[in-house]
Amino acid sequence: MIAHYLKVAVRQLLRYPVQNLVSIVGLAVCLFCFGISLYICRFVMSADECFPHRERIAEISMKRPHSKDNFSGIPVELVGRMRGIGWTEAEAFTYVAFPDDRSFRIEVKPDEMLPFDPLRCMEVDTCFRQVFGLDIVAGSWQTAARTPNAVILSESEARRIYGDRVGDAVGKRLVTTAKLPFSSRKGGVAYTVQAVMADFPSNNSLTDMEPVAALVLNDTDGRLQWQGKDVTGGNGYALLKGGSGSREKLEADIRDRGLRQSMFGEEYEVRIYPLGYSYWKYGGARFVAWITSVTGVLVLLVGLLNFFYFQIGAFLNRSREYSLRRVFGGSGRHLAAQLFTQAALTVAIAFLMVFVLVELFAPMMRFSVMNFHVGVDPSVLQWQCVQYLLLVLVFSFLACLLTVRRASRTLIQTGIRGTASGSGRHRVRNVMLGIQYFVCWIFISLAAALYLQADKTTSALFGTLDKREKAGILSIPLGYPFLEQAGKLALVERMRQIPGVEDCLLADIAFTRGVSGNVLCSQPPSQPDGNKEYAVNILAVPRNFFSFMRMPVVQGRMPDDDGGMVVDRTFGQDLRERDGTVPLGAVFYDNAGRYTVTGICEPLVAHAYHVSSYPGYYGGYAFILSDFRQYVGHCYLKCGKGQADEVRRRVEALLKQTFPYTVEPQVTTFLDDIEKEQGIESMLKGIVLFLAVVCVVVTLLGVYAAITLDTERRRKEVAVRKVNGAGVRQIMWLFARTYVWIGGVAAVLAFPLVYALLSLWRRLYSIFFHYGLVFWACVLLSVAAVTALTVVFRIVRIARVNPAEVIKSE
């Protein structure tokens, strides 16, 4: 019986090969997109599941006085105080400092110390393993717990540095090359690798979903040595004896004991929460999980609607066959089994294509959104797709039952004649297509908005340069601790001599990454009485900055010496309006000296997002001239027209010759830096556009399949209409008007929703594109045009048939 069902299923698939292929491919692609989206969502939602005692771990926090919000982190001494108290519900306490990047010179071989790219490190205390658990693959945790400045290296980092013999890492030295956040020394702090741990899972709330290269214990220059300084810098955790009940009892015990923590002259309440509470409440994890899950569901919805509409339509077009089965004693159970066999075969083919797509593309997929860095594991994704396969099979079985129920309610005579009313089916079909178009309008509108905003952002930021000029400027970081200042200046001079380099601009920090300072004073810092502070963005720049960035001084003049200052129009206007100060001739001070404003230049726009500022913060920029003989942290090279790629290749080759092999040079363009630092939309636009194209293509394929089924069913009607004088235009409008109506209604429902989303999105930006009538008209016309092409292509064939041949065949 199964063999017979399979034979019938194959015949039915071959009867409409194009339409079946369309529905299968559409379902496969949508399922693949859905699988990727849900993979990211499930990765985020599974945060902290890697810890064996997750349900027993509690997070210690402090509540702000007179506020509903909690303080960011806790001071280390609070954990020490709680350890000294006997708690009936807690087994252990640990303090974990916020992760930070540390630059080291690492001992690769005996007496061979080489610099490496900064390692993501997390300082912990000796109780960390008891609370969170940790798999040690080489070395000893006990030795590390008893040794000052001990490092536990991750397995992947150990393999990157020492190869497959991870045990060789134990005993090797690491020496810092830059100042640590809580250290008074500028570098030279020595550490020793005492153990190698299995890779710390990145989907956890301790590291904000970022991978950690090493743990640091007993750090003599670390955060745990700072106590009583009114600083936090980390979080505290408790290992409870039970679950949520123990957590509530511990918090009640804390209230009964009146435990408080003093900071900034105030008393803070100590609160106990589940693990990850602060991360989920104040981080962006929920936002990422919600967006990816909704996106995946919408894409899958389009694929499923297209697939099931064609399947149900193909099933219902066989009403004559079903009626004949009933005449010869066929039961609904046998019909359901036959239809489900066909549906299961189709779904299996679609999922086979999904598995192929996973094998081909999943290993290359790396997603970086906000602070989340997710790599797709093909084996995990395939197992998740198997779960989705079972879900689709359930829906397929329900579709088969719906078809059997519909066939059983149709009169046998009506079914044999093939004149059963299809109005109910048409209503279902129209709703399905309407939902698909609704999703299409959303994705197309958002994709267009992302591209327009990305273009707006990259054009407006540092807008004195056009995009071609930004793409022709190379951005080269030089803030490597292993480079001496003299070596940096010599390297800059060699890069300046490369053919194609027109100009060179030095900086202490990349312009897209921050500023040189943010405080100016009205009097020298040595005279605090009556001294007013001006909080404003300050950039230390060389004299060629204004010509390099095409920012001419429009009022006043360039400074004659290093004691002069240039401000932009925004800062100058703020000085006039808020203080009544005339910018030209105004005198400001900082710790380095005295500056007189001699010129005003065009405004510098370096941020596209609304940045909250405290009272007294001034807009705009102040530019202090510097010769950069003391420190160079970044270099920009302006290349001749069409020569950026060749110059970049030569610069990379020069840096590789200069840098140790353990450090990978980074050379980007100024345009790349702007898109990376300022453009969330630049990262999302390609993904959303791909999803939009998938939705549009699948929807159009659904329209094509729907028209195919309609034309097959209404061939006799078309022939009769042509005999009565109907022309090609009338026949085409007969079929096309339904899809015009469906798409139009879906647009009317979708556009207000998209408009509301854009209005919310706009609040994040100080620079936003204009989404007026032209924007909506272009979105509408783009989808309408491709829909019209699809409809015309299929209808023109049925409109040109010979009515005599059709009537003869009937």
Side-chain angles (χ1 to χ4, degrees):
M1 185 65 70
I2 297 297
H4 173 69
Y5 289 161
L6 287 173
K7 183 187 300 184
V8 174
V10 172
R11 288 177 178 174
Q12 290 298 324
L13 291 179
L14 296 177
R15 182 179 179 185
Y16 300 109
V18 176
Q19 289 79 4
N20 279 296
L21 181 62
V22 162
S23 63
I24 290 173
V25 172
L27 178 62
V29 174
C30 290
L31 280 169
F32 177 71
C33 296
F34 173 77
I36 296 295
S37 300
L38 263 289
Y39 183 94
I40 298 174
C41 177
R42 293 171 71 164
F43 179 86
V44 174
M45 296 302 294
S46 63
D48 296 329
E49 290 183 0
C50 53
F51 300 127
H53 308 309
R54 176 194 177 193
E55 298 299 328
R56 296 171 52 204
I57 300 175
E59 182 178 310
I60 304 171
S61 184
M62 299 189 310
K63 184 180 179 298
R64 295 175 181 269
H66 316 296
S67 174
K68 296 181 180 180
D69 296 329
N70 292 337
F71 207 83
S72 176
I74 64 172
V76 65
E77 55 266 26
L78 177 58
V79 173
R81 290 173 58 198
M82 296 185 72
R83 281 201 187 103
I85 301 175
W87 305 95
T88 59
E89 299 296 333
E91 294 182 4
F93 296 89
T94 187
Y95 188 86
V96 180
F98 297 142
D100 61 308
D101 293 328
R102 301 190 183 187
S103 298
F104 293 103
R105 297 179 70 90
I106 301 177
E107 182 182 11
V108 180
K109 298 178 182 178
D111 300 324
E112 182 182 8
M113 304 287 291
L114 294 175
F116 278 79
D117 293 324
L119 304 183
R120 191 71 171 168
C121 299
M122 186 167 66
E123 185 185 356
V124 300
D125 60 21
T126 54
C127 295
F128 178 83
R129 190 184 188 193
Q130 181 182 357
V131 176
F132 288 98
L134 200 66
D135 294 332
I136 302 296
V137 298
S140 169
W141 171 270
Q142 289 75 18
T143 302
R146 296 191 298 265
T147 307
N149 290 350
V151 169
I152 299 179
L153 209 59
S154 70
E155 185 176 3
S156 61
E157 200 64 30
R159 292 185 184 278
R160 184 175 75 90
I161 300 173
Y162 300 102
D164 292 335
R165 299 179 62 180
V166 295
D168 292 348
V170 179
K172 295 296 191 297
R173 293 177 296 134
L174 298 86
V175 179
T176 59
T177 57
K179 182 181 179 300
L180 299 180
F182 294 96
S183 174
S184 59
R185 290 185 281 182
K186 294 184 178 180
V189 182
Y191 297 82
T192 305
V193 178
Q194 299 293 349
V196 177
M197 64 179 177
D199 286 347
F200 205 73
S202 59
N203 57 332
N204 67 83
S205 60
L206 276 67
T207 64
D208 289 338
M209 308 295 275
E210 293 188 90
V212 170
L215 301 181
V216 182
L217 281 78
N218 307 318
D219 191 348
T220 56
D221 282 64
R223 169 68 191 94
L224 272 68
Q225 304 304 318
W226 277 52
Q227 299 195 23
K229 304 291 184 180
D230 280 349
V231 293
T232 57
N235 285 316
Y237 301 91
L239 180 62
L240 306 176
K241 295 181 180 179
S244 58
S246 293
R247 185 172 61 249
E248 294 170 357
K249 291 179 181 178
L250 177 60
E251 187 166 28
D253 199 0
I254 290 174
R255 287 196 301 268
D256 294 341
R257 294 173 184 264
L259 182 64
R260 297 283 192 277
Q261 177 63 37
S262 297
M263 283 191 68
F264 308 115
E266 294 183 290
E267 294 290 327
Y268 288 77
E269 299 178 5
V270 178
R271 296 292 181 89
I272 304 297
Y273 296 102
L275 176 62
Y277 170 83
S278 299
Y279 172 74
W280 286 107
K281 183 174 182 179
Y282 302 109
R286 292 190 185 277
F287 174 78
V288 172
W290 185 81
I291 290 295
T292 54
S293 60
V294 170
T295 301
V297 170
L298 289 177
V299 175
L300 179 63
L301 182 62
V302 171
L304 288 179
L305 289 175
N306 179 68
F307 176 77
F308 284 122
Y309 164 70
F310 181 76
Q311 289 294 312
I312 295 174
F315 290 162
L316 293 178
N317 272 357
R318 297 160 59 186
S319 59
R320 181 175 299 176
E321 173 192 340
Y322 304 153
S323 298
L324 290 175
R325 279 177 167 273
R326 293 168 61 190
V327 170
F328 293 105
S331 65
R333 180 169 56 86
H334 292 149
L335 178 58
Q338 177 181 319
L339 296 181
F340 181 69
T341 301
Q342 178 179 338
L345 178 61
T346 309
V347 171
I349 297 173
F351 270 88
L352 180 62
M353 295 183 63
V354 172
F355 295 141
V356 172
L357 292 173
V358 170
E359 284 295 324
L360 290 176
F361 298 107
M364 300 181 290
M365 290 188 175
R366 297 290 185 272
F367 298 97
S368 297
V369 180
M370 298 173 65
N371 291 328
F372 301 96
H373 304 277
V374 182
V376 178
D377 186 338
S379 59
V380 175
L381 180 57
Q382 286 184 344
W383 170 242
Q384 293 179 1
C385 287
V386 170
Q387 301 171 15
Y388 307 145
L389 168 63
L390 299 177
L391 184 63
V392 175
L393 286 176
V394 170
F395 284 125
S396 298
F397 182 69
L398 295 177
C400 295
L401 293 181
L402 176 64
T403 305
V404 172
R405 181 173 179 270
R406 176 69 177 272
S408 64
R409 297 175 60 183
T410 303
L411 295 177
I412 294 178
Q413 295 86 348
T414 303
I416 293 177
R417 288 197 304 268
T419 59
S421 174
S423 59
R425 184 185 63 198
H426 287 169
R427 286 195 296 269
V428 174
R429 179 196 68 181
N430 294 344
V431 171
M432 288 182 172
L433 287 178
I435 295 174
Q436 292 183 64
Y437 267 108
F438 178 82
V439 176
C440 284
W441 291 125
I442 292 176
F443 276 110
I444 289 293
S445 301
L446 292 180
L450 285 167
Y451 269 88
L452 291 173
Q453 180 58 26
D455 181 76
K456 182 74 174 181
T457 301
T458 53
S459 298
L461 298 182
F462 303 93
T464 53
L465 301 170
D466 59 34
K467 286 188 177 181
R468 183 190 61 80
E469 291 173 319
K470 294 172 187 175
I473 296 176
L474 298 185
S475 173
I476 307 156
L478 295 176
Y480 298 98
F482 61 85
L483 284 178
E484 300 291 338
Q485 178 67 7
K488 293 180 184 180
L489 295 177
L491 181 60
V492 168
E493 187 60 32
R494 293 178 64 185
M495 290 189 293
R496 192 194 300 265
Q497 301 303 322
I498 294 176
V501 176
E502 295 182 347
D503 199 1
C504 176
L505 179 66
L506 301 182
D508 55 353
I509 187 173
F511 298 142
T512 57
R513 300 297 299 272
V515 294
S516 307
N518 55 14
V519 176
L520 293 173
C521 301
S522 60
Q523 296 182 13
S526 60
Q527 303 176 12
D529 294 339
N531 193 1
K532 179 179 180 180
E533 290 187 349
Y534 296 84
V536 63
N537 294 321
I538 304 171
L539 282 180
V541 298
R543 300 189 71 86
N544 69 327
F545 170 83
F546 302 97
S547 60
F548 190 99
M549 300 297 293
R550 298 190 183 276
M551 294 176 57
V553 175
V554 294
Q555 296 182 39
R557 57 178 175 80
M558 283 288 296
D560 296 328
D561 51 34
D562 293 345
M565 175 186 289
V566 175
V567 300
D568 70 356
R569 281 181 173 173
T570 305
F571 183 35
Q573 184 176 352
D574 261 12
L575 286 175
R576 286 192 182 93
E577 294 179 353
R578 295 168 59 174
D579 299 320
T581 301
V582 177
L584 290 177
V587 178
F588 297 99
Y589 298 85
D590 65 4
N591 292 327
R594 177 181 185 273
Y595 307 96
T596 301
V597 178
T598 65
I600 300 176
C601 66
E602 293 290 344
L604 177 66
V605 180
H607 300 280
Y609 305 114
H610 281 300
V611 180
S612 59
S613 58
Y614 53 85
Y617 201 95
Y618 288 75
Y621 282 80
F623 304 96
I624 299 176
L625 295 185
S626 174
D627 57 13
F628 291 96
R629 286 179 293 182
Q630 302 300 320
Y631 177 76
V632 174
H634 209 86
C635 174
Y636 293 99
L637 298 178
K638 181 177 289 187
C639 305
K641 186 176 181 180
Q643 295 180 300
D645 292 338
E646 178 62 21
V647 174
R648 182 173 185 170
R649 186 185 64 81
R650 290 174 177 262
V651 169
E652 288 176 343
L654 176 59
L655 294 179
K656 288 182 179 179
Q657 293 175 3
T658 307
F659 291 178
Y661 71 90
T662 53
V663 177
E664 185 67 25
Q666 300 177 16
V667 181
T668 59
T669 67
F670 195 33
L671 184 61
D672 294 335
D673 291 352
I674 292 173
E675 291 180 346
K676 179 180 179 181
E677 297 298 329
Q678 297 292 337
I680 294 177
E681 60 278 1
S682 297
M683 296 182 290
L684 295 179
K685 64 182 183 181
I687 299 174
V688 176
L689 177 62
F690 173 76
L691 297 177
V693 170
V694 169
C695 289
V696 170
V697 171
V698 172
T699 299
L700 293 179
L701 293 178
V703 171
Y704 182 85
I707 296 176
T708 300
L709 293 175
D710 276 354
T711 54
E712 289 293 329
R713 184 177 57 84
R714 303 173 66 180
R715 288 173 62 87
K716 184 176 179 180
E717 177 187 348
V718 172
V720 172
R721 285 178 177 271
K722 293 194 70 174
V723 169
N724 290 330
V728 174
R729 181 180 302 177
Q730 288 77 16
I731 299 299
M732 294 182 65
W733 178 245
L734 173 68
F735 288 95
R737 61 187 178 186
T738 300
Y739 306 102
V740 172
W741 179 81
I742 293 173
V745 171
V748 169
L749 296 176
F751 282 173
L753 175 61
V754 177
Y755 184 87
L757 293 175
L758 293 180
S759 299
L760 292 174
W761 184 24
R762 185 173 187 169
R763 297 179 184 177
L764 302 175
Y765 289 82
S766 58
I767 302 169
F768 204 74
F769 77 99
H770 178 65
Y771 49 98
L773 183 61
V774 175
F775 171 77
W776 302 108
C778 290
V779 172
L780 183 65
L781 291 176
S782 62
V783 178
V786 292
T787 302
L789 291 176
T790 304
V791 171
V792 170
F793 175 78
R794 189 64 185 89
I795 295 178
V796 72
R797 296 176 58 187
I798 189 64
R800 292 179 177 176
V801 297
N802 188 338
E805 295 295 333
V806 175
I807 296 175
K808 184 190 300 183
S809 64
E810 290 290 334

